[in-house]
Amino acid sequence: MYPSPNRLPEDTRGRIVDALNARLADGLDLHMQLKVAHWNVKGPHFAALHALFEQMAIGLAAHNDAVAERAVTLGGRAYGTARHVARSSRLDEYPQETTRDLEHVKLLADRIDVYLEHVRDARAVAEKAGDGDTVDLLTQIVTEFEKHGWFLKASLA
Ligand SMILES: [Fe+2]
């Protein structure tokens, strides 16, 4: 661990950094999966979903950057190569042969549920550690991706 402007003890910061890196791996994986869906989606809902998946990916890229920079701010490192992500992500691999619009919606909705579950767990780690700033950062992700999950599930209803 490196020195940090944050006042929490080093071992506490280390626990938060580990939780952030785990969520960074999931977030980078989900970002790539969203792009695969954005590129390959076909069907009557193409126009809306092509744009929606891109908008979700852009938002997630900003969150991933914030998560990585929070880990480094707290005195850790940020891990994010493709090989690291492939080893570490908690998400299921994306079936890249998928083309149908609503099939992509279902696949992404499932993955967002898993992503959110783990982001909430990471937020609980930060909350227990008294790191309100990391809690705020993760709450922004939860709020935005719960909304995306609602959009996707509404498309399937
Ligand atoms: Fe594009």
Side-chain angles (χ1 to χ4, degrees):
M1 294 287 287
Y2 300 107
S4 166
N6 186 276
R7 289 178 172 176
L8 291 168
E10 187 175 309
D11 62 326
T12 306
R13 286 190 279 114
R15 275 200 301 281
I16 301 166
V17 166
D18 289 346
L20 288 169
N21 268 302
R23 280 356 356 124
L24 178 60
D26 295 351
L28 291 168
D29 189 11
L30 183 56
H31 180 266
M32 289 186 263
Q33 297 197 12
L34 283 162
K35 294 297 291 199
V36 166
H38 165 73
W39 295 322
N40 291 300
V41 64
K42 296 187 194 312
H45 303 288
F46 169 82
L49 293 177
H50 178 69
L52 177 65
F53 298 160
E54 176 68 1
Q55 187 200 331
M56 290 164 64
I58 289 169
L60 184 54
H63 290 305
N64 287 337
D65 196 54
V67 167
E69 289 175 359
R70 183 71 187 157
V72 179
T73 300
L74 290 174
R77 290 168 200 264
Y79 297 101
T81 63
R83 286 161 192 79
H84 176 85
V85 169
R87 280 196 305 272
S88 309
S89 172
R90 304 292 291 271
L91 306 188
D92 286 341
E93 171 62 312
Y94 202 79
Q96 296 194 88
E97 67 283 2
T98 306
T99 55
R100 296 306 298 175
D101 42 16
L102 294 183
E103 222 174 300
H104 281 294
V105 169
K106 171 80 173 73
L107 288 165
L108 290 173
D110 290 347
R111 281 153 182 76
I112 285 173
D113 281 345
V114 173
Y115 176 58
L116 279 170
E117 219 32 64
H118 292 296
V119 173
R120 291 187 197 100
D121 290 346
R123 181 171 61 175
V125 169
E127 202 156 25
K128 204 174 155 205
D131 181 0
D133 300 302
T134 297
V135 169
D136 286 353
L137 191 156
L138 295 173
T139 294
Q140 287 178 35
I141 299 178
V142 171
T143 306
E144 190 173 316
F145 274 79
E146 282 186 350
K147 187 172 167 179
H148 290 324
W150 162 54
F151 279 15
L152 296 179
K153 284 171 185 174
S155 307
L156 294 170

